[in-house]
Amino acid sequence: MLSLSVTGLITDLIKAFMETFLMCGISIFISIVLGLPLGLFIYITREGLFWQNRILHLIGGLLVNIVRSTPFVILLVLLIPVTHMLTGTTIGPLAASVPLSVAAVAFYARLVEGSLVEVDKGVLEAATAMGATNGRIIREVLLVEALPGLLRGLTVTVVSLVGYTAMAGIVGGGGVGDLAIRFGYYRYETNVMIITVVLLIVLVQVIQSLGELIAGETDKR
């Protein structure tokens, strides 16, 4: 028997999911705007590519590795001053979006680099031989050929972010994770926690299936 009324539970779930969607939406937008160019930058500065530069390649890779090797809970704490400076607060979904965005940018940048590496270099060499400029090769060949991988990487990033939002709930970030912790851990209402976990599993399955479907539609190989 739930101590929380059904109406109250539905209201809390809707509010929690809206907060989760807000955090994920902001973070995904920023990861596309910053993570895609960062991953592209790391790729094209590799040896043998357009703008090969060993130092810049190492710096880009190091920045990504530093963020990715930092546990997200610790990243939440480390970025509190930045979060407060940008949002004026350190609690709530908007504040949690700051560390989530930093983590998502680094995560997606590495996946972008991985997708670009899988593009056949013969295709790039053929475009170069035809006289295409570097900018045109990137826009019309490289990104087009890597599009299915980029979309799959974005799907993995979104799924990971859903998990990160649950951790953000520990420090007052709100969202579904916060709801599960408050009722399942602090108030011992296991039923509420199970319901939120099941809904999170369904949400992840929908995101993964939708991402695979869209990526499959763009894959012409």
Side-chain angles (χ1 to χ4, degrees):
M1 185 72 180
L2 299 175
S3 59
L4 185 67
S5 69
V6 174
T7 304
L9 175 60
I10 292 174
T11 302
D12 282 349
L13 281 173
I14 292 175
K15 180 175 181 291
F17 268 94
M18 292 304 292
E19 290 174 345
T20 296
F21 290 149
L22 175 63
M23 287 187 279
C24 288
I26 293 173
S27 304
I28 284 299
F29 174 76
I30 295 177
S31 69
I32 294 173
V33 172
L34 299 180
L36 180 59
L38 179 57
L40 178 63
F41 172 80
I42 295 173
Y43 173 74
I44 62 176
T45 52
R46 277 171 169 254
E47 185 176 356
L49 289 171
F50 321 128
W51 291 298
Q52 65 172 357
N53 187 309
R54 183 177 174 82
I55 294 176
L56 292 179
H57 178 74
L58 287 174
I59 291 174
L62 181 62
L63 289 174
V64 168
N65 287 342
I66 288 173
V67 176
R68 291 191 62 207
S69 60
T70 305
F72 183 66
V73 174
I74 296 175
L75 191 65
L76 275 169
V77 178
L78 286 175
L79 291 177
I80 283 177
V82 179
T83 299
H84 190 272
M85 182 180 69
L86 293 176
T87 66
T89 180
T90 57
I91 60 173
L94 194 59
S97 298
V98 175
L100 283 169
S101 298
V102 173
V105 167
F107 190 80
Y108 188 51
R110 190 58 84 191
L111 294 178
V112 167
E113 184 198 8
S115 298
L116 296 175
V117 167
E118 293 179 358
V119 175
D120 187 354
K121 284 190 176 180
V123 178
L124 303 181
E125 292 170 357
T128 303
M130 293 173 66
T133 62
N134 291 339
R136 189 172 182 184
I137 292 174
I138 291 173
R139 291 193 308 273
E140 300 180 11
V141 179
L142 190 58
L143 293 179
V144 172
E145 288 290 322
L147 185 58
L150 296 176
L151 292 172
R152 290 190 176 95
L154 190 62
T155 302
V156 173
T157 305
V158 175
V159 170
S160 299
L161 276 174
V162 172
Y164 285 164
T165 61
M167 284 187 270
I170 297 173
V171 293
V176 181
D178 177 58
L179 184 71
I181 292 168
R182 277 191 291 120
F183 286 94
Y185 184 72
Y186 293 117
R187 297 169 62 171
Y188 301 105
E189 295 189 30
T190 307
N191 289 340
V192 176
M193 186 173 66
I194 291 174
I195 290 172
T196 56
V197 170
V198 169
L199 290 175
L200 278 174
I201 292 172
V202 172
L203 176 63
V204 168
Q205 289 300 315
V206 170
I207 293 171
Q208 187 66 50
S209 299
L210 190 60
E212 287 293 334
L213 179 64
I214 296 174
E217 289 294 321
T218 62
D219 194 347
K220 305 302 180 188
R221 290 171 292 182

